[in-house]
Amino acid sequence: SGRGIRRSPFHAREVELGGYFMELSGWERAHGYAANAHLLEKYADRVPERPAEWDNRHFWRVSNAEHLEMSEDCGVVNLSHFHMTDIEGPDHVALLEWLCAAKIGGEGNVGKGIYTHMLDDEGNVRADFTVFRMADRCRLINGADAGPRDLLHMRRVAEDRGLDVTLTDVTERIVTIGFWGPNARDKLSTVVADPASLTPEAFPFAAIREIEIAGRPVTAFRISYVGEQGWELHMAYEDGLAVWDALRGTGAIAVGVETYASSRRLEKSLRLQNADLLTHYNLLEAGLARPKVKEAAFRGKARHLEHRARPHQPAMLCTLVMTDNVGRDGVARYPVQTMPVLDPDSGEVLVDSLGRRSYTTSQAYGPSVGRNIMLAYLPWDYCQKGRRLTVTYF
């Protein structure tokens, strides 16, 4: 009864492609497409079978083949599940300047997408998202699960500080398509009204530009969460199907969210809110602190400055590569859940100076590197390249 509540405007196309659907915040999301099964033959030597039933229960092997094809050509990813909030009114910049660690104000930021974080009073990471700084308002692009929580927080802060702002949930009005891969620019150039607008000089990284695809207005954001060049394309819900069809008409394959959110993300060592970004850890420990601290006041700034003054942090979020994934029974394993991180000599779980126990916060098999990859906060004394550790997978 909890399924089929929210569907993208191109959901029927995904069904035709044999989408393997799971759900997030009511949105139906395809993690891979049966129509891409032919790629398994092309990449047979790089996409392993998962003999353990548990490892394979919610995983579709075609996802790893989609991952590799995106690296060679281009892929279309349905990101309609993004949560979006429009922030308007006389104090809309002031609200975000107080809440965000990055600088939001200033004319130089108009027309840019700004990746930033909300901190709590302890200077720890409360949220991450992207802010579109427009001429008359800001649009906050967030994860489906974190968005409602952060919207409520913004409303409470605006009320507490007496700010004149209007916050509108536009999640179901706007949809997003990711278009990424080494051939993304060439393919996108064939369907935009002005191909010259896509050159690196005209469209620098992190810029926002209004473009036209299939006669529909599209807000294009040059950014990537998959380690390949390309764009997030944002459009009105009613324009989504025409844009999807135009992009698919370039020959780009549909790529499931498993590639986007797991394997490509982990190969790039990108962080995920509510997994790797937690209020247990600060922005420096997460490896996301900016080189300089903005002059304007923001929530958590005092503690953030204290954290920066330390000679080193108590822990750091590190990328781990599994060197041996064969269990005692001789079966290769592909972990799909968090695991405690242990010292191989003592067999004890690592604990940092603040008493926080180490565990893998994210994990996925990376077909480009042929290894299981994980992220984990490690105590400072264990943060060396080449350090060997042990994880326990139950």
Side-chain angles (χ1 to χ4, degrees):
S1 63
R3 299 301 298 271
I5 297 171
R6 288 173 161 174
R7 294 177 176 176
S8 76
F10 20 87
H11 179 76
R13 298 286 193 269
E14 295 183 282
V15 172
E16 292 171 2
L17 292 170
Y20 299 106
F21 291 98
M22 294 174 73
E23 173 273 336
L24 182 65
S25 194
W27 288 97
E28 294 296 318
R29 305 197 307 170
H31 282 234
Y33 299 94
N36 294 326
H38 65 280
L39 295 173
L40 289 171
E41 182 176 351
K42 179 178 180 179
Y43 299 111
D45 60 333
R46 301 174 65 186
V47 180
E49 299 277 1
R50 300 191 175 203
E53 186 275 339
W54 180 253
D55 301 2
N56 208 41
R57 178 172 292 194
H58 297 298
F59 180 81
W60 294 278
R61 191 165 167 254
V62 71
S63 297
N64 280 175
E66 293 173 352
H67 168 124
L68 294 168
E69 185 70 7
M70 179 186 281
S71 298
E72 292 195 4
D73 190 358
C74 185
V76 180
V77 185
N78 176 4
L79 300 175
S80 299
H81 62 276
F82 280 0
H83 188 279
M84 300 190 188
T85 302
D86 275 2
I87 306 161
E88 304 169 273
D91 297 329
H92 76 277
V93 173
L95 172 64
L96 290 175
E97 199 72 89
W98 168 251
L99 285 172
C100 298
K103 181 180 179 181
I104 304 298
E107 290 302 312
N109 274 339
V110 176
K112 291 182 179 178
I114 305 162
Y115 174 67
T116 185
H117 305 82
M118 289 184 195
L119 307 184
D120 62 17
D121 291 333
E122 294 302 311
N124 293 336
V125 182
R126 178 188 176 93
D128 84 325
F129 43 77
T130 300
V131 175
F132 282 11
R133 180 78 196 283
M134 303 173 177
D136 60 341
R137 66 190 186 281
C138 289
R139 176 167 292 162
L140 194 148
I141 315 297
N142 210 333
D145 54 345
R149 174 200 67 187
D150 295 339
L151 172 56
L152 179 60
H153 178 62
M154 287 190 292
R155 283 178 171 154
R156 287 173 170 170
V157 170
E159 183 177 353
D160 290 347
R161 297 180 70 82
L163 299 176
D164 185 0
V165 297
T166 300
L167 295 96
T168 307
D169 184 341
V170 295
T171 301
E172 295 187 1
R173 300 183 200 171
I174 309 294
V175 293
T176 304
I177 298 173
F179 196 68
W180 292 299
N183 295 329
R185 181 177 284 108
D186 291 341
K187 288 185 180 295
L188 190 58
S189 296
T190 66
V191 293
V192 296
D194 180 14
S197 66
L198 301 181
T199 65
E201 295 74 25
F203 206 139
F205 185 77
I208 301 170
R209 299 283 188 270
E210 297 301 320
I211 64 175
E212 183 180 308
I213 300 174
R216 270 66 171 184
V218 174
T219 300
F221 177 34
R222 191 176 155 211
I223 199 71
S224 175
Y225 198 58
V226 298
E228 296 286 353
Q229 70 154 335
W231 288 266
E232 283 181 10
L233 304 172
H234 302 257
M235 68 226 68
Y237 188 98
E238 58 270 21
D239 293 330
L241 181 57
V243 175
W244 173 275
D245 286 345
L247 296 174
R248 289 277 290 133
T250 67
I253 68 164
V255 173
V257 76
E258 175 71 29
T259 292
Y260 168 84
S262 295
S263 61
R264 295 307 310 240
R265 176 178 75 84
L266 266 294
E267 287 191 349
K268 194 65 176 175
S269 195
L270 297 173
R271 287 83 166 100
L272 175 64
Q273 176 64 33
N274 297 339
D276 316 300
L277 302 180
L278 305 158
T279 52
H280 308 317
Y281 296 94
N282 67 51
L283 204 53
L284 290 99
E285 292 174 311
L288 292 174
R290 290 171 176 262
K292 296 181 180 179
V293 180
K294 70 180 184 183
E295 294 183 8
F298 60 92
R299 185 178 186 186
K301 182 176 182 179
R303 291 288 285 155
H304 179 64
L305 291 172
E306 291 178 16
H307 297 157
R308 293 177 75 98
R310 293 168 171 167
H312 61 76
Q313 301 304 311
M316 291 295 293
L317 187 62
C318 298
T319 303
L320 314 179
V321 178
M322 185 174 278
T323 57
D324 178 11
N325 69 323
V326 178
R328 286 178 295 185
D329 56 2
V331 176
R333 300 306 300 260
Y334 297 87
V336 295
Q337 64 195 52
T338 56
M339 297 166 285
V341 182
L342 300 85
D343 183 306
D345 295 324
S346 67
E348 296 295 322
V349 175
L350 306 184
V351 181
D352 67 22
S353 60
L354 298 182
R356 298 171 298 185
R357 298 165 68 85
S358 293
Y359 59 92
T360 59
T361 53
S362 289
Q363 50 283 313
Y365 179 77
S368 299
V369 298
R371 298 284 188 181
N372 287 302
I373 307 168
M374 300 157 194
L375 294 179
Y377 286 94
L378 303 182
W380 178 259
D381 291 344
Y382 285 80
C383 294
Q384 302 93 24
K385 290 183 180 179
R387 163 77 74 164
R388 295 188 66 85
L389 301 165
T390 300
V391 291
T392 296
Y393 185 46
F394 178 64

